Amino acid sequence: MDNELVVEKSWWKRNWKWFFPTLLLLLLFLLLFGSILSSSIDGTVTDIAQAYSDNSLYEKAIEKAKMNKRVLEVIGAIEPIDKLAILEGNAIYSNHNNSVELSVRIKGNKGKGKMDISAHKNGNEWVYKEINIRVKEPKEEIQMLKDTIGEK
C-alpha cells in the first residue's frame, strides 16, 4: 500500500467553469433591471407612487360616489380603498402633477367595479372633471360628471 497524501484541488480549479457563466448572467440581469427602471415604465411607477400617497384624491371621489343613487343600487355601500387597489390601478399625472387620470378598483357590499377619475388641482384641492364607475355585472358605466362639475 502506498501512503501518499491526496492533495485536493483549490476551489478556483474545481469551479472556474461555473464562475464566468454565473457572473455573466448576473451582469445581464442587472443590465436588464436597470434598463427597465430607466425606461418609460419609470414614469408610471412614480405616478402610481404619487397617487398612493395622495389620499384626498380618491377619498373625496368615493364620498361623491356614495351619494349617487345608482352606485348605491349596483355596488352598494363602498368600502374604503385599500392601498393595494391603488398599486393595481393606473395613474397618469400631467401638467406638472396638477392633472391626473386615475383608475382604481372599488368594492361594495353588492358588487365591485372600477372607478375612473379625471381631476385637476386648484391650489391644494382636487377639482373633479369626471368620475365614472364601470361595472361588469351588470355591464354598466355610471357617469357622475353632472355631480362633480365645479365642485371641489
Side-chain angles (χ1 to χ4, degrees):
M1 264 186 144
D2 266 342
N3 277 340
E4 289 185 30
L5 184 60
V6 177
V7 178
E8 270 193 51
K9 293 180 184 178
S10 70
W11 180 90
W12 180 254
K13 285 185 180 180
R14 286 181 287 141
N15 297 301
W16 70 269
K17 57 188 158 208
W18 302 108
F19 180 76
F20 289 112
T22 304
L23 181 63
L24 182 62
L25 282 173
L26 179 65
L27 289 175
L28 285 173
F29 174 75
L30 290 174
L31 183 66
L32 179 65
F33 186 71
S35 67
I36 288 173
L37 285 180
S38 65
S39 70
S40 64
I41 293 173
D42 186 41
T44 304
V45 171
T46 57
D47 286 350
I48 289 176
Q50 186 170 350
Y52 184 85
S53 66
D54 195 356
N55 297 345
S56 66
L57 173 61
Y58 49 87
E59 286 175 353
K60 289 181 182 177
I62 288 289
E63 291 304 316
K64 291 181 181 298
K66 286 179 178 179
M67 293 186 286
N68 185 290
K69 211 184 285 189
R70 184 64 186 149
V71 171
L72 292 174
E73 290 172 4
V74 175
I75 294 183
I78 300 173
E79 297 173 5
I81 295 178
D82 61 350
K83 296 296 184 176
L84 185 59
I86 301 297
L87 294 176
E88 291 173 352
N90 187 25
I92 300 171
Y93 281 82
S94 59
N95 191 21
H96 303 291
N97 295 331
N98 288 320
S99 295
V100 66
E101 301 288 328
L102 176 69
S103 180
V104 64
R105 71 173 160 81
I106 59 171
K107 198 163 84 171
N109 60 351
K110 293 181 181 177
K112 58 185 177 178
K114 292 269 187 179
M115 176 181 277
D116 300 320
I117 301 169
S118 177
H120 68 275
K121 217 172 212 181
N122 186 5
N124 289 332
E125 295 286 323
W126 285 104
V127 178
Y128 299 99
K129 295 186 277 185
E130 191 172 335
I131 301 173
N132 294 328
I133 296 183
R134 294 177 284 137
V135 182
K136 282 188 179 179
E137 297 280 329
K139 188 171 174 101
E140 181 177 355
E141 183 172 331
I142 304 167
Q143 296 182 346
M144 300 187 301
L145 180 64
K146 65 182 177 191
D147 296 337
T148 60
I149 293 178
E151 293 181 31
K152 290 185 181 178

